[in-house]
Amino acid sequence: MPPTLAGLRAAGASTTLRVHMAEVVRSRANARIQRTAHLVRDAAERRRLGRVAVEGLREVERAFANGWMPQEVYVSESLAAGAARSLLQWAQANDVPITTCTPDVFAKIAYRENPEGLLAVGPMPTGRLEALDVPDAPLLLAAAEIEKPGNLGALLRTADGVAVDAVLVCGDAVDLGNPNLIRSSLGTVFYLPLAVASSDEAVAWLGQRRIRVVAADPDADTVYCDADLRGPLAIVVGAEDRGLPEAWRRAADVRVSIPMRGRNDSLNVSVAAAVLLYEALRQRSRAGARRCPARSMPLDSLSR
């Protein structure tokens, strides 16, 4: 049985494994380099192949550690014996092909402006509603039509911070393999329970399980901390520019707003989701202790 990533990290320099690198790729015209560069930058190609490129030490490590099995790994020759050693040893022990590149060639496949020198290609993260296994009184996050990959990735990171039971990602243009999404999620996309579905499908699934829907709506009369966020619950947030799709507006059991005291009329969607999710966490942690600051109180009172 191949060693685990944790085992290799613990073994450190004493491990008997050695990373054997093939001949270094020195041409940007190399067929594999061209193919991988296309995959990194083209969402249609990612969907067609069902594959994704994961770049960065932290992101790759989190994907590996949570069972994601890459099909190939690319590494800049300057990094091969450094910080990526345990990751490369794990890949080698699991018979994953490793391609070593010059820094210039690696820059061809890298998405980041200052690449760290490690990129892995493997199956696209995804999930289905039918496969979700949630408790009787779950706390869920539904992300409706969030088209900006960075925002969706930040939502996943927030959901992980709260330890939600699952995330429902709804929309026709969802691309869980987008490099910006993977980076902003810090790799959480590879281990969070999630499902990709249409808004109608997600609403029906929640209704079948009698899970209440709380919708973020800047025009709602109910302030978020006046709402009961205990019990089976799905908090749904939409795109900042368009708000919630009609399916979610009809399905909402209650709509809540977040007080805005300055000139802007809304928060970034990931920030708004964090406010709502952590209020739900607070209420669930301290049953019966719900207390909302008055609308006239200053913002700094929210942190007291």
Side-chain angles (χ1 to χ4, degrees):
M1 179 181 295
T4 65
L5 178 58
L8 282 172
R9 292 177 64 190
S14 64
T15 181
T16 57
L17 281 172
R18 294 290 182 270
V19 178
H20 299 291
M21 298 298 173
E23 183 177 351
V24 177
V25 176
R26 303 185 182 279
S27 171
R28 285 181 164 223
N30 178 278
R32 280 176 297 148
I33 297 301
Q34 296 275 14
R35 181 193 67 216
T36 302
H38 185 41
L39 179 74
V40 168
R41 291 164 176 80
D42 192 304
E45 183 71 358
R46 290 192 291 270
R47 286 192 291 269
R48 184 181 75 83
L49 297 176
R51 302 176 83 190
V52 61
V54 183
E55 183 182 351
L57 288 167
R58 179 164 49 180
E59 290 81 357
V60 170
E61 180 175 13
R62 288 191 175 185
F64 284 8
N66 287 279
W68 184 74
M69 181 59 71
Q71 292 151 335
E72 53 187 337
V73 170
Y74 293 86
V75 61
S76 172
E77 60 181 342
S78 60
L79 188 71
R85 182 175 181 78
S86 62
L87 298 174
L88 296 172
Q89 289 174 328
W90 179 89
Q92 184 191 25
N94 285 275
D95 298 321
V96 177
I98 300 172
T99 299
T100 310
C101 316
T102 63
D104 177 66
V105 171
F106 189 89
K108 170 77 175 179
I109 62 174
Y111 188 82
R112 300 182 181 183
E113 191 171 324
N114 298 302
E116 294 179 335
L118 184 68
L119 183 146
V121 175
M124 176 84 75
T126 188
R128 306 187 319 276
L129 288 170
E130 313 85 69
L132 289 179
D133 183 15
V134 298
D136 293 335
L139 175 59
L140 309 175
L141 173 65
E145 307 291 343
I146 307 297
E147 294 184 352
K148 293 182 179 179
N151 281 345
L152 184 52
L155 281 171
L156 296 178
R157 184 177 176 182
T158 297
D160 176 64
V162 178
V164 301
D165 294 297
V167 178
L168 312 183
V169 183
C170 306
D172 297 329
V174 173
D175 178 16
L176 294 181
N178 184 284
N180 279 333
L181 185 153
I182 294 172
R183 183 177 187 181
S184 60
S185 79
L186 290 182
T188 56
V189 66
F190 291 101
Y191 60 82
L192 266 179
L194 58 83
V196 178
S198 69
S199 289
D200 288 335
E201 291 169 338
V203 166
W205 185 85
L206 293 169
Q208 291 167 2
R209 288 155 182 79
R210 299 180 182 240
I211 297 173
R212 292 171 55 237
V213 174
V214 173
D217 182 346
D219 297 321
D221 292 328
T222 302
V223 178
Y224 72 98
C225 43
D226 281 333
D228 187 350
L229 303 181
R230 297 167 295 180
L233 189 73
I235 291 175
V236 56
V237 294
E240 296 166 53
D241 55 344
R242 292 173 301 165
L244 291 172
E246 186 58 32
W248 287 107
R249 290 182 173 275
R250 293 194 306 265
D253 294 289
V254 61
R255 299 182 195 177
V256 298
S257 61
I258 299 172
M260 300 295 296
R261 307 299 189 199
R263 296 185 181 182
N264 289 317
D265 60 1
S266 67
L267 297 173
N268 175 275
V269 65
S270 63
V271 176
V275 170
L276 300 181
L277 287 170
Y278 274 99
E279 172 62 14
L281 182 63
R282 184 188 71 82
Q283 291 185 20
R284 289 159 178 263
S285 301
R286 300 170 59 190
R290 291 192 298 117
R291 180 183 176 189
C292 183
R295 287 172 181 261
S296 60
M297 295 180 71
L299 280 181
D300 60 4
S301 66
L302 292 174
S303 63
R304 293 176 184 172

